[in-house]
């Protein structure tokens, strides 16, 4: 299959580089259970790629929780403080990011998480963050006015490279359907490493679907091979 060559790479964080989605699920499940509600996979799947406040609003609405957005976020925060310091990198993440950095490929991170959330999750992986030219953190970035599937996070992130690449010269790595939609709307190619429970038909608009970052071949997109 023929893919267009790219010059710049944008990475999502949660569920793609960082094995954190199961920790979010654990936190949401614990908080919802306090009010006799069940946090389901169906609800989880609909939230992937959302910013924190958007997630809170939807969970409260769907499960009819007797909480305000801030009350829900504060309860989740207590769970995160216990869970997040234990989070690990996903298979292949270190190898790919390090490789692109060493070969001089400009890379950046476009995550829906906030600065505080990234700091908490990455406290044992600070060296890993040094590979990225910049981090765009949607939930705390004033220029990122909407969460995915809106394309703005990828457009803002790409605009912060010094040479301001055209969107079609950027490759996005994602794990979520909302991320695929956002990348497509930004006119960028997108490689997705999805949760295996996501139905194949929801991934049809991805440029390439992989089971693991370990399976990625950079040369397919004109990037330096391993």
């Amino acid at each position: 299959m023929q893919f267009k060559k790219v010059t710049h790479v944008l990475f999502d964080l949660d569920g793609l580089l960082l094995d954190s989605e199961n920790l979010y699920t654990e936190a949401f499940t614990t908080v919802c259970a306090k009010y006799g509600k069940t946090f389901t996979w169906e609800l989880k799947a609909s939230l992937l790629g959302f910013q924190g406040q958007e997630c809170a609003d939807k969970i409260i609405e769907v499960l009819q929780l007797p909480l305000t957005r801030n009350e829900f976020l504060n309860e989740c925060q207590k769970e995160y403080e216990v869970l997040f310091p234990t989070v690990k990198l996903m298979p292949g993440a270190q190898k790919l990011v390090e490789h692109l950095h060493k070969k001089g490929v400009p890379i950046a991170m476009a995550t829906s998480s906030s600065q505080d959330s990234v700091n908490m999750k990455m406290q044992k992986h600070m060296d890993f963050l040094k590979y990225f030219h910049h981090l765009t953190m949607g939930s705390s970035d004033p220029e990122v006015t909407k969460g995915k599937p809106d394309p703005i996070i990828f457009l803002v992130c790409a605009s912060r490279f010094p040479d301001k690449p055209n969107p079609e010269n950027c490759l996005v790595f994602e794990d979520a359907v909302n991320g695929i939609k956002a990348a497509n709307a930004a006119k960028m190619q997108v490689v997705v490493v999805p949760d295996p429970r996501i139905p194949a038909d929801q991934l049809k608009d991805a440029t390439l679907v992989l089971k693991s970052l370990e399976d990625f071949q950079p040369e397919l997109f004109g990037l330096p091979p391993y």
Side-chain angles (χ1 to χ4, degrees), residues 72 174 211:
F72 180 81
E174 263 289 349
K211 285 195 169 71

Side-chain angles (χ1 to χ4, degrees), residues 6-219:
V6 297
T7 53
H8 297 64
V9 181
L10 309 181
F11 287 93
D12 177 44
L13 177 63
D14 294 296
L16 177 86
L17 297 175
L18 206 58
D19 192 11
S20 50
E21 283 298 346
N22 57 335
L23 302 183
Y24 277 108
T25 300
E26 196 174 326
F28 292 158
T29 299
T30 300
V31 173
C32 293
K34 288 182 192 171
Y35 302 95
K37 304 291 184 177
T38 304
F39 182 70
T40 63
W41 162 250
E42 288 70 28
L43 179 52
K44 165 81 177 178
S46 73
L47 302 173
L48 293 173
F50 277 22
Q51 293 183 3
Q53 294 181 338
E54 295 171 314
C55 285
D57 291 346
K58 179 143 188 187
I59 293 169
I60 291 164
E61 181 193 349
V62 172
L63 298 181
Q64 298 183 304
L65 296 177
L67 297 170
T68 65
R69 175 201 283 176
N70 282 344
E71 287 167 346
F72 180 81
L73 290 172
N74 287 340
E75 291 208 27
C76 290
Q77 186 68 19
K78 291 171 194 158
E79 301 297 325
Y80 299 157
E81 285 165 10
V82 176
L83 296 168
F84 281 166
T86 67
V87 72
K88 294 180 169 59
L89 293 174
M90 292 291 260
Q94 180 85 27
K95 181 186 173 191
L96 174 57
V97 168
E98 204 173 292
H99 166 74
L100 294 175
H101 176 77
K102 275 186 183 160
K103 295 293 184 181
V105 177
I107 59 175
M109 188 183 290
T111 173
S112 301
S113 289
S114 67
Q115 174 87 59
D116 289 347
S117 175
V118 171
N119 290 347
M120 201 190 310
K121 284 179 284 205
M122 301 306 287
Q123 54 192 281
K124 290 186 179 169
H125 308 288
M126 293 310 284
D127 287 347
F128 183 71
L129 290 181
K130 292 174 188 164
Y131 295 124
F132 297 90
H133 178 269
H134 58 275
L135 313 179
T136 303
M137 294 166 282
S139 290
S140 54
D141 192 312
E143 284 188 54
V144 182
T145 49
K146 292 178 181 170
K148 304 164 190 174
D150 192 276
I152 191 160
I153 190 166
F154 293 133
L155 296 171
V156 167
C157 189
S159 76
R160 291 178 180 167
F161 287 112
D163 54 350
K164 302 199 182 309
N166 287 329
E168 55 266 30
N169 292 330
C170 297
L171 178 64
V172 171
F173 279 85
E174 263 289 349
D175 68 308
V177 175
N178 282 329
I180 298 171
K181 290 176 180 173
N184 284 331
K187 304 279 192 285
M188 299 176 182
Q189 295 181 93
V190 55
V191 174
V192 65
V193 186
D195 185 297
R197 292 169 291 187
I198 296 175
D201 66 318
Q202 292 185 22
L203 305 169
K204 64 183 187 309
D205 294 328
T207 312
L208 180 64
V209 181
L210 299 175
K211 285 195 169 71
S212 166
L213 286 173
E214 293 176 306
D215 301 332
F216 181 66
Q217 297 171 277
E219 61 273 19

